Amino acid sequence: PFMEIELSRLDPNPFQTRESYDEETVAAITVSSLGRHGILQPPMVRPVESGRYQIAFGHGRVKAAKAAGFKKIDCRFEDLTDSEMKKYVLQENVLRSDLSEDERMAALEQYRTDQGLEADDPGFAEKLSAATGVPESTIETVYFVKKTRERLKITMTGEEEIPIGLIQSVRGLSDDEQVKMIVK
């Protein structure tokens, strides 16, 4: 079901891991999602208390509607569980290029733990992918980078930021070889 809701009655997803939208992103969303008759693909919301709604997905579209001067927008209205809200955060955000590694990992982690999956279990990435539609290779890469960064904090001195491309290039090597190549 769809309903028109005042923008002032929409609250962010409490599980949202995306910390911010830059002006360029909001401008791009405004151009791509607003048609002559409003939002082309409405945000999904759930009721939380009298007259208030939480955005499951579509935060950028809501920001774009506000930027365009809208007071109300059509929203898809659903009764959603917390787990479903976490899943939508993951699906909407994890593949975005402007998302930080920390934001991407936070989205994956909150849904992984919600589902009772252990990151060290064989097949966890496959299960997470099947549940969310996020490519297994993306999930594996995010966790590989996180694990490698954690190992390197023990080895590295200072607060150097190691490019993600460099970390990905050593995948498949032994742990010791990975560290040697990255430190080199």
Side-chain angles (χ1 to χ4, degrees):
F2 292 86
M3 64 186 294
E4 189 175 61
I5 300 175
E6 291 177 23
L7 293 170
S8 63
R9 293 174 39 204
L10 297 175
D11 299 320
N13 187 324
F15 307 105
Q16 179 62 278
T17 58
R18 185 177 194 150
E19 294 175 5
S20 65
Y21 290 82
D22 60 36
E23 289 180 32
E24 189 175 307
T25 300
V26 173
I29 293 169
T30 302
V31 169
S32 69
S33 67
L34 296 181
R36 202 176 88 193
H37 303 291
I39 299 285
L40 297 176
Q41 182 181 8
M44 182 184 290
V45 300
R46 74 173 179 179
V48 285
E49 56 187 53
S50 66
R52 307 261 347 138
Y53 302 88
Q54 289 176 338
I55 303 165
F57 64 78
H59 293 79
R61 284 167 263 171
V62 170
K63 287 184 182 299
K66 286 179 182 177
F70 288 51
K71 299 294 180 208
K72 298 178 179 181
I73 58 171
D74 284 331
C75 295
R76 182 174 164 196
F77 176 86
E78 299 286 339
D79 285 320
L80 301 169
T81 65
D82 285 354
S83 182
E84 289 169 320
M85 295 289 279
K86 292 173 188 176
K87 181 178 180 178
Y88 284 124
V89 164
L90 178 60
Q91 290 173 326
E92 281 286 295
N93 289 326
V94 107
L95 297 176
R96 303 272 192 234
S97 63
D98 62 340
L99 209 63
S100 74
E101 279 183 53
D102 290 339
E103 290 169 328
R104 191 172 283 114
M105 177 53 76
L108 283 164
E109 278 293 280
Q110 74 179 357
Y111 191 71
R112 180 192 62 76
T113 56
D114 184 70
Q115 297 300 300
L117 299 171
E118 294 296 328
D120 294 335
D121 289 350
F124 98 92
E126 181 181 0
K127 291 175 187 170
L128 201 55
S129 176
T132 63
V134 174
E136 188 176 342
S137 60
T138 299
I139 295 168
E140 289 172 344
T141 297
V142 170
Y143 278 91
F144 173 75
V145 169
K146 177 186 181 220
K147 181 180 172 185
T148 303
R149 286 196 189 283
E150 288 172 354
R151 272 197 336 267
L152 289 171
K153 284 181 184 175
I154 298 167
T155 307
M156 301 294 288
T157 57
E159 293 297 319
E160 304 167 30
E161 184 65 25
I162 299 153
I164 192 168
L166 177 59
I167 293 173
Q168 289 175 309
S169 72
V170 300
R171 196 169 186 173
L173 300 175
S174 71
D175 288 356
D176 289 340
E177 290 172 329
Q178 288 174 6
V179 171
K180 286 177 191 174
M181 292 296 290
I182 290 172
V183 171
K184 192 179 200 182

